[in-house]
């Protein structure tokens, strides 16, 4: 296969680039050889989509046993490298100037290294194999924390040189794929822990999926974080009102951490708009009681749960509304003034360690879309904004009935498997401690991802 013009230029410039000083990890020929045959061949293989139903059904179709975990690990061994290779291939197809960005090279390095380790890992056949595979999974999740801040920086720097549609499509695909990989990895690791430590397992959890997710509690958890940061930035924060429309104390099934992240991003924008709008009107200091509350209406349905978040923050113009889900708008141009500073204060906190993800509302919409939900915004300029987060979930009652029949009841604590897992973890910690110090030496601290 003939190399693209970008790849040819990369090869020509590789010697000089490897000697350059950069803020990214040390550049190697691997990081600059964007057309690796192994990755191309792997990326050509098909991938299969999955939903919450699939994840729960896999765990519930049999008792949670070692054989189930081995089968799960084997499935991940096949799926995860393909998904990563596809993203590497996507990076290969970006314009030359994007490929040469040091932050994009850091993203590429991370993906290439993790993908190769997974490709070279022997097929999981025993409990010991699965324990060592889990160490690699945890390492890949940790490595992924560096990706989002690097990707956000790369997007900011290359956006003036790359067409908006090209950058948006790349980021949509890349970030959605990242959600999928992390869900698969975290689900397996959670099932592993639930088997080895049954005494500590909540009966309403199937891996990372909470069959008993409390809408009021997730709202309050997320709002507490957003309000705390608002008080640090502004000294005040509006109060929260939550109204449930459905059976008293109703629950729904979802990955509660995803719900809390999505609501956190929405709340940050609602709080920022409310505080800045009323500050601009009063022109003086005020306290929480002077602010209208952020109101959440939660609507229950047998197959979905919807959160309507309303703020009296003055709304936004049509121009701003049309760009609100644009990565280049919300992540790249962080100095853009929206309604007196939309990307300052609370919105800008999406790019700080507290929020961790770095892409704000566009990424929030990706999370909602991933399991068939949606995130929509309705604004009334000069008055208010409503954001509706709709989440499709599994049929909670069916799965709770199966849990009651002890289909998911684990076997007694497997001390042998637990000992093997502990030994593998200790061995890995000893092997990686020195290398981790070398990798982190001189590297600027990154945002949590």
């Amino acid at each position: 296969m003939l190399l693209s013009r970008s790849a040819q230029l990369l090869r020509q410039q590789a010697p000089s680039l490897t000697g350059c000083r950069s803020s990214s990890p040390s550049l190697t020929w691997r990081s600059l050889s964007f057309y690796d045959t192994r990755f191309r061949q792997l990326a050509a293989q098909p991938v299969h989509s999955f939903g919450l139903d699939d994840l729960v059904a896999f765990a519930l179709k049999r008792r949670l046993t070692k054989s189930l975990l081995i089968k799960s690990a084997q499935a991940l061994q096949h799926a995860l490298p393909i998904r990563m290779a596809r993203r590497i291939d996507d990076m290969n197809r970006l314009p030359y100037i994007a490929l040469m960005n040091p932050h994009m090279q850091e993203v590429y390095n991370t993906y290439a290294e993790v993908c190769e380790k997974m490709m070279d890992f022997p097929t999981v056949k025993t409990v010991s194999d699965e324990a060592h595979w889990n160490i690699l999974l945890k390492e890949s999740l940790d490595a992924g924390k560096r990706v989002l801040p690097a990707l956000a920086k790369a997007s900011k720097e290359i956006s003036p040189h790359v067409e908006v549609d090209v950058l948006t499509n790349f980021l949509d695909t890349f970030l959605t794929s990242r959600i999928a990989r992390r869900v698969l990895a975290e689900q397996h690791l959670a099932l592993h822990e639930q088997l080895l430590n049954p005494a500590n397992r909540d009966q309403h959890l199937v891996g990372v999926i909470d069959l008993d997710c409390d809408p009021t509690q997730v709202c309050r958890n997320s709002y507490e974080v957003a309000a705390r940061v608002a008080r640090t930035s502004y000294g005040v924060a509006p109060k929260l009102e939550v109204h449930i429309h459905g059976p008293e104390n109703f629950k729904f099934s979802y990955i509660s951490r995803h719900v809390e992240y999505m609501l956190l991003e929405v709340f940050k924008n609602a709080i920022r708009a409310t505080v800045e709008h009323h500050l601009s009107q009063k022109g003086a200091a005020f306290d929480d009681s002077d602010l209208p509350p952020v109101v959440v209406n939660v609507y229950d349905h047998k197959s979905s749960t919807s959160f309507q978040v309303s703020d009296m923050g003055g709304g936004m113009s049509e121009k701003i509304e049309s760009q609100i889900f644009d990565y280049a708008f919300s992540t790249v141009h962080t100095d853009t003034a929206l309604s007196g500073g939309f990307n300052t204060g609370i919105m800008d906190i999406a790019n700080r360690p507290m929020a961790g993800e770095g892409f704000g509302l566009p990424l929030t919409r990706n999370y909602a879309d991933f399991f068939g939900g949606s995130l929509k915004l309705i604004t009334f300029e000069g008055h208010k904004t409503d954001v509706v987060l709709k989440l499709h979930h599994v049929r909670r009652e069916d799965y709770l009935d199966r849990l009651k029949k002890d289909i998911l009841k684990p076997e007694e604590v497997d001390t042998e498997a637990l000992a093997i897992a502990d030994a593998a973890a200790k061995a890995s910690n000893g092997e990686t401690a020195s290398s981790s110090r070398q990798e982190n030496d001189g590297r600027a601290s990154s945002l949590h991802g």
Side-chain angles (χ1 to χ4, degrees), residues 128 131-132 135 419-429:
S128 179
H132 284 87
I135 293 172
I420 291 174
D422 287 341
K426 291 178 181 178
S428 175
N429 289 337

Side-chain angles (χ1 to χ4, degrees), residues 131-132 135 138 192-193 196-197 415-429:
H132 284 87
I135 293 172
K138 292 175 182 177
H192 176 92
E193 290 301 316
L196 295 186
N197 301 288
T415 55
E416 178 186 2
L418 187 58
I420 291 174
D422 287 341
K426 291 178 181 178
S428 175
N429 289 337

Side-chain angles (χ1 to χ4, degrees), residues 101-117:
N101 181 275
H103 304 297
M104 190 65 73
Q105 290 172 6
E106 180 179 353
V107 175
Y108 183 91
N109 281 344
T110 301
Y111 270 59
E113 291 169 8
V114 172
C115 187
E116 283 197 320
K117 288 181 180 179

Side-chain angles (χ1 to χ4, degrees), residues 198-358:
N200 299 328
R201 181 173 65 82
D202 294 324
Q203 289 295 317
H204 59 88
L205 290 177
V206 180
V208 295
I209 301 170
D210 188 350
L211 298 177
D212 221 12
C213 193
D214 185 332
T216 301
Q217 192 60 49
V218 294
C219 284
R220 297 195 184 284
N221 290 346
S222 297
Y223 198 84
E224 180 180 352
V225 175
R228 183 167 63 247
V229 178
R231 291 191 177 93
T232 300
S233 299
Y234 298 104
V236 293
K239 295 181 179 180
L240 172 69
E241 291 184 6
V242 180
H243 304 287
I244 303 297
H245 303 271
E248 185 177 359
N249 299 322
F250 89 87
K251 306 293 192 298
F252 68 103
S253 302
Y254 212 83
I255 302 176
S256 57
R257 188 156 47 85
H258 283 196
V259 184
E260 290 180 351
Y261 166 71
M262 289 183 279
L263 288 173
L264 172 63
E265 292 297 328
V266 175
F267 285 150
K268 285 189 297 183
N269 287 284
I271 292 174
R272 191 257 352 131
T274 300
V275 174
E276 293 190 358
H277 178 65
H278 289 271
L279 181 62
S280 66
Q281 287 186 329
K282 293 197 173 188
F286 49 85
D287 56 35
D288 293 2
S289 61
D290 293 326
L291 296 170
V294 172
V295 179
V296 182
N297 285 285
V298 184
Y299 299 93
D300 172 51
H301 186 265
K302 62 181 181 181
S303 62
S304 66
T305 298
S306 297
F307 298 81
Q308 180 186 19
V309 180
S310 304
D311 69 74
M312 298 300 295
M316 62 186 72
S317 68
E318 291 183 3
K319 179 180 180 181
I320 293 173
E321 182 182 3
S322 68
Q323 296 175 294
I324 200 67
F325 291 112
D326 189 336
Y327 291 103
F329 184 70
S330 62
T331 300
V332 176
H333 304 300
T334 53
D335 57 343
T336 300
L338 306 178
S339 298
F342 187 83
N343 274 324
T344 60
I346 292 298
M347 182 58 184
D348 191 48
I349 292 169
N351 292 322
R352 300 179 187 176
M354 187 282 291
E357 300 296 0

Side-chain angles (χ1 to χ4, degrees), residues 85-96:
R86 287 190 163 207
R87 303 294 72 79
I88 292 171
D89 191 54
D90 286 345
M91 284 185 275
N92 293 342
R93 300 173 187 276
L94 286 172
Y96 164 69

